[in-house]
Amino acid sequence: MQDGRTTLSKFLIDTLDRRPSPHAGAGLSALLIDVAAAIKQIASALTRGALGGHHGSTQTFNATGDEQKKLDVVTHEIFVQHCEWDGLLAAMVSEEMDGVYAIPAGYPRGEYLLAFDPLDGSSNIDVNGVVGSIFSVLRRPDGDDADAACGDAAFLRPGHQQVAAGYAIYGPSTMLVLSVGNGTHAFTLERDVGNFVLTHTDIRIPEDSGEFAINASNERFWEPPVRRYVQECKDGRIGCRERDFNMRWIASMVAEVHRILMRGGVFLYPRDFRTSGLEGRLRLLYEANPMSFLVEQAGGLSITGRERVLDVVPRALHCRVPVILGSRNEVERIGRYHREHDRGEDKPYTSPLFNERSLFLPEASA
Ligand code: F6P
């Protein structure tokens, strides 16, 4: 580009079209441009806020039982309209739709599959908080024709098979964070021009961090290894970690993952005794998998507690999975706590108020 800036199109042409990878075939860059167009339209709709006439609930529930906001439905339709016509997709799965959406007759069917959450963190809409969109791209299974790719089985593959993943964050600025398997990169929307411009190349998540994010109101439903980790963070300097931690909770996975990509930290939506099968809250296909792909591409880790999220084989389109992701050393520690617990090796928790660094000891209180 003449002004030295890299737009999303230039990035994709340089990265994918001029250096085709064995995993991603022709057309992936065009598909991602269509996804970006959907994101720009969603950004524009969200900016209008209550003036857009789309605030409030539809009084309906999606496939996983969440109450649908009007904007969940509107943003779902924007994704479908921008991506169904181009001949690059065989089918789509959306959080807001029960089954697979096969590309309708009348449009050619292509070699990719798109799974998306069109509006993540939609409970933040009514309070003008940060929300996002998340997407994951798979290639149609080898040997399948375009019609076979429209069944559930085509989507029920582990996340390490993704050829691209990303999210949009609609905050003070709109950003698109993307990976096509060569690092994680972020583009900022230049709203008056309508271009996504590369602003963060090859993001690296710091290996250590003093920040964790979890919905602490669920503590009574967590397993012991997660309770242990969080308690140790809360104990801070006087506990076994010997440092103070900060806690954050924005109730939008996009916002939490974005913060972790920018400055490190760990995000937990762990196994939870409220959910059948103890799967936690997050959906594998269009929340956990794309975010785990982005985090791993940025040098972080993403586990369920006991295995890598990207190796989990989905049981169903909308299945849920526990997610613990972020700074490598913290996630490794939490994984170790799970292993120690499963082997019966974790010690009962002792409050630091009663150990050698206790606040009640003369040198600490002096
Ligand atoms: O459904 C996904 C989601 O909205 C995430 O974006 C977010 O991390 C989480 O749910 C919020 O959950 P809770 O309602 O427990 O705060």
Side-chain angles (χ1 to χ4, degrees):
M1 275 180 68
Q2 278 180 339
D3 63 1
R5 297 193 305 174
T6 301
T7 59
L8 178 65
S9 328
K10 179 176 188 300
F11 172 86
L12 291 172
I13 290 167
D14 282 349
T15 315
L16 289 173
D17 298 348
R18 297 204 173 130
R19 267 174 285 166
S21 100
H23 308 295
L28 181 59
S29 51
L31 171 61
L32 293 170
I33 296 286
D34 287 340
V35 170
I39 286 166
K40 285 186 230 176
Q41 193 176 333
I42 293 171
S44 161
L46 294 176
T47 307
R48 295 184 58 74
L51 300 175
H54 297 309
H55 271 197
S57 165
T58 56
Q59 312 291 333
T60 53
F61 293 86
N62 67 18
T64 46
D66 291 347
E67 187 183 4
Q68 286 177 306
K69 308 265 180 199
K70 288 182 192 161
L71 273 168
D72 286 319
V73 176
V74 168
T75 54
H76 162 84
E77 281 164 4
I78 291 174
F79 257 89
V80 171
Q81 281 160 12
H82 278 82
C83 300
E84 69 178 346
W85 63 275
D86 59 15
L88 299 165
L89 286 177
M92 301 186 220
V93 162
S94 162
E95 183 181 3
E96 305 308 332
M97 218 169 28
D98 289 359
V100 172
Y101 178 81
I103 298 302
Y107 296 124
R109 285 190 182 156
E111 64 172 307
Y112 293 103
L113 304 167
L114 180 69
F116 60 95
D117 175 358
L119 197 62
D120 170 70
S122 56
S123 66
N124 280 353
I125 283 292
D126 298 337
V127 298
N128 202 14
V130 173
V131 289
S133 302
I134 313 175
F135 62 92
S136 154
V137 183
L138 287 166
R139 216 170 163 179
R140 209 169 76 194
D142 280 346
D144 267 13
D145 62 20
D147 290 334
C150 299
D152 289 12
F155 284 89
L156 302 183
R157 289 148 57 204
H160 62 246
Q161 294 186 12
Q162 292 170 107
V163 292
Y167 65 79
I169 178 165
Y170 310 106
S173 61
T174 292
M175 293 178 75
L176 169 62
V177 179
L178 179 70
S179 180
V180 291
N182 72 335
T184 296
H185 313 280
F187 302 79
T188 302
L189 180 61
E190 196 172 23
R191 219 175 268 271
D192 43 342
V193 183
N195 275 336
F196 275 110
V197 179
L198 181 63
T199 46
H200 302 67
T201 311
D202 204 10
I203 296 166
R204 304 307 292 167
I205 300 175
E207 293 191 349
D208 295 295
S209 167
E211 216 160 55
F212 67 102
I214 192 163
N215 183 345
S217 69
N218 296 329
E219 180 162 3
R220 65 194 184 282
F221 304 115
W222 301 337
E223 287 190 286
V226 171
R227 286 179 186 228
R228 173 183 172 189
Y229 177 76
V230 170
Q231 188 58 54
E232 288 176 1
C233 292
K234 289 195 294 186
D235 290 344
R237 247 175 329 134
I238 61 163
C240 65
R241 299 296 304 271
E242 299 181 13
R243 62 174 297 189
D244 290 334
F245 285 77
N246 243 332
M247 197 183 87
R248 296 279 181 267
W249 190 249
I250 308 177
S252 156
M253 189 190 196
V254 163
E256 317 282 2
V257 169
H258 193 69
R259 184 186 60 252
I260 288 169
L261 286 170
M262 294 295 120
R263 67 176 189 216
V266 61
F267 165 87
L268 304 94
Y269 219 116
R271 282 182 101 183
D272 178 326
F273 288 105
R274 283 172 309 174
T275 52
S276 64
L278 310 179
E279 328 94 320
R281 171 166 172 76
L282 300 173
R283 272 56 56 117
L284 179 56
L285 259 59
Y286 40 79
E287 291 177 324
N289 270 343
M291 292 311 208
S292 301
F293 191 77
L294 292 166
V295 164
E296 285 200 4
Q297 286 289 321
L301 291 181
S302 179
I303 61 171
T304 63
R306 294 177 172 85
E307 65 180 316
R308 184 184 176 217
V309 169
L310 291 180
D311 288 339
V312 175
V313 180
R315 290 173 288 99
L317 294 180
H318 299 285
C319 66
R320 299 173 190 265
V321 69
V323 177
I324 296 163
L325 59 77
S327 291
R328 173 171 287 273
N329 291 338
E330 291 301 305
V331 177
E332 265 172 3
R333 172 183 286 269
I334 300 167
R336 173 163 64 78
Y337 287 4
H338 280 79
R339 289 192 297 281
E340 288 176 4
H341 172 71
D342 292 348
R343 293 195 299 257
E345 288 170 9
D346 46 356
K347 294 185 236 101
Y349 171 72
T350 323
S351 166
L353 296 178
F354 303 103
N355 71 16
E356 69 277 10
R357 280 186 294 278
S358 168
L359 286 173
F360 299 132
L361 293 176
E363 66 274 24
S365 51

